[in-house]
Amino acid sequence: MTNSRTDVLIIGAGLAGLSAARVLKSAARNFKILEASDAIGGRLKTDQLDGFLLDRGFQVLLTAYPEAKHFLNYKALDLQTFSPGSIILNNSGIDQIGDPLREISSLIPTLKSPVGSFFDKLNLLKLRLKLAGTSIDDIFNKPELSTISYLKNAGFGEQLITNFFTPFLSGIFLENKLETSSRMFEFVFKMFSEADTAIPAKGMSMIPMQLASSLAPDELILNESVLSIDGNEVLTLSGKVYQANTILIATSANNLPEPFIVSNKGKKSVTCLYFSADQAPYHQKLIALNANSNKFVNNIAVMNNVSKHYAPEGKSLISISIIEDCSAFNDTELELKVKEELKFWYPDCVDWKHLKTYVIPYALPENKHVTNDINPSTIRLNDSTFICGDHLLNGSINAALKSGRLASESILSL
């Protein structure tokens, strides 16, 4: 069965595909989006379970992202913000570090914290001020080295690297060795420093839903998995053939259709467990970082501390992120291992109720080499086929939105 021809066919309804659709719609171009799953959002989805909102993996929106400011209405998203700083979990107990430039009350506790030396904290302030005066383009034009090499070259001591940078960045980069590009580190650190870290009040899925709010019913087709592209025709798993003047591939790098499949494309995975509790382990709007060298759990977030909508009244929702390989454990073993580790700091965790576990094989593209711009020859695969996605730039919400915009602008320039 062959469907009628459309102008542009977008494969994938994640952030890249949806941002591309927004640009095409504003230009009054005819398009359709084919999405393999039963919902839009790609890696940004939220499930509802017994009154809880469960994002599919712990994620946040950095409101300083230029593309997010361009595409999103922050007020309509009802963004709820984390406090600047982190709780640090280590063998000696629980410490805390803040951002005195944004929250003056954290100055004394941060100076007294054993997380790092006074020199390290001063160096941290200097880095923040330096990056505030550095443009994003300048950051991505710098030579690349690993983040760990960058931190050591910048004079940071082992104490702060171990207690703060490693657990903090591991949760962002989804790798413990800090092999991620120094460009990515500078970009992310700048974004964290310059504005809020937030979540939409009713879940991260509100972001793609807002992007898709102007779509007409016939512009989005769900449960239509694309198998291959042949010239101007797209063959789907259901047996349908779609025809288009231009095709835009907006899938993750591991889901490209034939003949554009790329083998051994680098990726990062994560496992996220959600628990409910009658009492929150802590009440600050902070992320707790596990600084132990032999850690299993990387970070903890009490989601309803930030947005009350994430949990029913009288309950707390606790998100646990693990970047280690969990394939050797079944659900029960994984739950017990997590609780065994966390009870040193939070003894009541033995009574937490497990809600759901998400294993996300492709959470981020490889970020050892990153950029902030795409060569037109990279976007255009052939005369009629284009590609977008954060894997072409860097693993971030900003890059996904930007790649979709750049690809759609290239299509419009034809």
Side-chain angles (χ1 to χ4, degrees), residues 254-265:
N254 65 328
N255 281 322
L256 303 180
E258 292 281 3
F260 303 106
I261 293 175
V262 179
S263 60
N264 300 319
K265 188 72 175 179

Side-chain angles (χ1 to χ4, degrees), residues 117-154:
S117 67
F118 177 79
F119 173 80
D120 275 335
K121 293 166 188 173
L122 184 61
N123 206 15
L124 200 59
L125 176 60
K126 289 180 179 178
L127 175 63
R128 177 180 170 170
L129 294 174
K130 183 187 83 168
L131 292 177
T134 306
S135 72
I136 293 173
D137 286 340
D138 285 344
I139 285 174
F140 282 96
N141 284 329
K142 290 183 179 182
E144 285 183 288
L145 61 158
S146 68
T147 293
I148 188 64
S149 296
Y150 175 96
L151 294 173
K152 290 179 178 179
N153 291 348

Side-chain angles (χ1 to χ4, degrees), residues 36 59 76 81 109 121 152 214 219 234 291 307 326 363 414:
Q59 299 178 70
T81 60
K121 293 166 188 173
K152 290 179 178 179
S214 64
E219 290 175 335
V234 170
S307 171
C326 298
L414 295 178

Side-chain angles (χ1 to χ4, degrees), residues 8-12 16-21 24 32 34 229 234 244 246-251 379 384-389 403-408 411:
V8 182
L9 191 65
I10 301 172
I11 302 172
L18 292 173
S19 63
L24 293 172
K32 289 186 186 297
L34 302 183
I229 300 172
V234 170
T246 305
I247 298 163
L248 175 58
I249 302 172
T251 68
I379 293 177
S384 60
T385 308
F386 291 72
I387 190 170
C388 61
S403 71
R405 175 176 64 79
L406 292 176
S408 57
I411 292 170

Side-chain angles (χ1 to χ4, degrees), residues 288-347:
L289 308 174
N290 188 350
N292 283 341
S293 59
N294 61 343
K295 67 183 177 184
F296 184 65
V297 169
N298 190 79
N299 54 274
I300 307 167
V302 183
M303 303 305 295
N304 57 292
N305 284 354
V306 184
S307 171
K308 65 181 181 180
H309 297 283
Y310 269 74
E313 187 174 352
K315 295 289 184 180
S316 287
L317 176 65
I318 302 154
S319 169
I320 306 290
S321 295
I322 302 169
I323 59 176
E324 301 293 332
D325 182 7
C326 298
S327 58
F329 305 99
N330 60 37
D331 284 351
T332 301
E333 293 169 337
L334 187 58
E335 177 186 347
L336 291 175
K337 186 171 179 62
V338 166
K339 289 182 176 181
E340 181 63 29
E341 183 171 62
L342 295 183
K343 71 181 183 181
F344 174 74
W345 303 288
Y346 305 115

Side-chain angles (χ1 to χ4, degrees), residues 134-384:
T134 306
S135 72
I136 293 173
D137 286 340
D138 285 344
I139 285 174
F140 282 96
N141 284 329
K142 290 183 179 182
E144 285 183 288
L145 61 158
S146 68
T147 293
I148 188 64
S149 296
Y150 175 96
L151 294 173
K152 290 179 178 179
N153 291 348
F156 289 105
E158 191 63 34
Q159 187 179 8
L160 190 69
I161 290 175
T162 299
N163 287 322
F164 173 66
F165 278 121
T166 298
F168 173 62
L169 295 172
S170 293
I172 300 166
F173 299 155
L174 304 184
E175 53 101 359
N176 281 317
K177 296 181 180 180
L178 303 191
E179 296 174 331
T180 296
S181 168
S182 55
R183 293 176 182 172
M184 196 66 191
F185 164 72
E186 286 198 337
F187 172 62
V188 167
F189 196 80
K190 178 180 175 71
M191 294 295 98
F192 268 104
S193 300
E194 293 185 351
D196 291 323
T197 302
I199 53 175
K202 295 185 178 180
M204 291 296 284
S205 65
M206 292 298 103
I207 294 174
M209 287 179 67
Q210 186 182 97
L211 288 171
S213 60
S214 64
L215 293 179
D218 64 341
E219 290 175 335
L220 174 64
I221 303 171
L222 299 175
N223 299 304
E224 193 73 292
S225 179
V226 171
L227 296 177
S228 64
I229 300 172
D230 185 6
N232 295 94
E233 292 189 340
V234 170
L235 174 65
T236 67
L237 185 62
S238 67
K240 293 179 181 177
V241 177
Y242 293 83
Q243 296 180 334
N245 298 325
T246 305
I247 298 163
L248 175 58
I249 302 172
T251 68
S252 58
N254 65 328
N255 281 322
L256 303 180
E258 292 281 3
F260 303 106
I261 293 175
V262 179
S263 60
N264 300 319
K265 188 72 175 179
K267 63 180 181 180
K268 299 298 180 184
S269 60
V270 68
T271 299
C272 180
L273 286 80
Y274 284 103
F275 294 90
S276 70
D278 294 332
Q279 297 292 329
Y282 59 87
H283 297 282
Q284 302 100 312
K285 296 181 179 182
L286 293 171
I287 300 169
L289 308 174
N290 188 350
N292 283 341
S293 59
N294 61 343
K295 67 183 177 184
F296 184 65
V297 169
N298 190 79
N299 54 274
I300 307 167
V302 183
M303 303 305 295
N304 57 292
N305 284 354
V306 184
S307 171
K308 65 181 181 180
H309 297 283
Y310 269 74
E313 187 174 352
K315 295 289 184 180
S316 287
L317 176 65
I318 302 154
S319 169
I320 306 290
S321 295
I322 302 169
I323 59 176
E324 301 293 332
D325 182 7
C326 298
S327 58
F329 305 99
N330 60 37
D331 284 351
T332 301
E333 293 169 337
L334 187 58
E335 177 186 347
L336 291 175
K337 186 171 179 62
V338 166
K339 289 182 176 181
E340 181 63 29
E341 183 171 62
L342 295 183
K343 71 181 183 181
F344 174 74
W345 303 288
Y346 305 115
D348 290 346
C349 75
V350 295
D351 296 321
W352 294 353
K353 178 186 175 183
H354 177 246
L355 294 172
K356 194 164 184 176
T357 296
Y358 292 96
V359 179
I360 305 166
Y362 188 102
L364 280 178
E366 182 67 74
N367 278 324
K368 287 186 178 180
H369 303 290
V370 298
T371 183
N372 193 45
D373 206 359
I374 310 175
N375 189 299
S377 63
T378 302
I379 293 177
R380 193 169 189 177
L381 299 177
N382 58 40
D383 288 346
S384 60

Side-chain angles (χ1 to χ4, degrees), residues 49-89:
L49 178 65
D50 299 333
F52 294 92
L53 296 177
L54 310 182
D55 294 329
R56 296 190 187 180
F58 174 68
Q59 299 178 70
V60 297
L61 173 66
L62 304 184
T63 59
Y65 280 153
E67 298 293 327
K69 289 191 285 188
H70 172 73
F71 278 104
L72 302 176
N73 181 334
Y74 288 173
K75 184 177 181 180
L77 287 173
D78 191 14
L79 294 180
Q80 306 297 302
T81 60
F82 288 81
S83 299
S86 301
I87 294 169
I88 308 297
L89 310 177

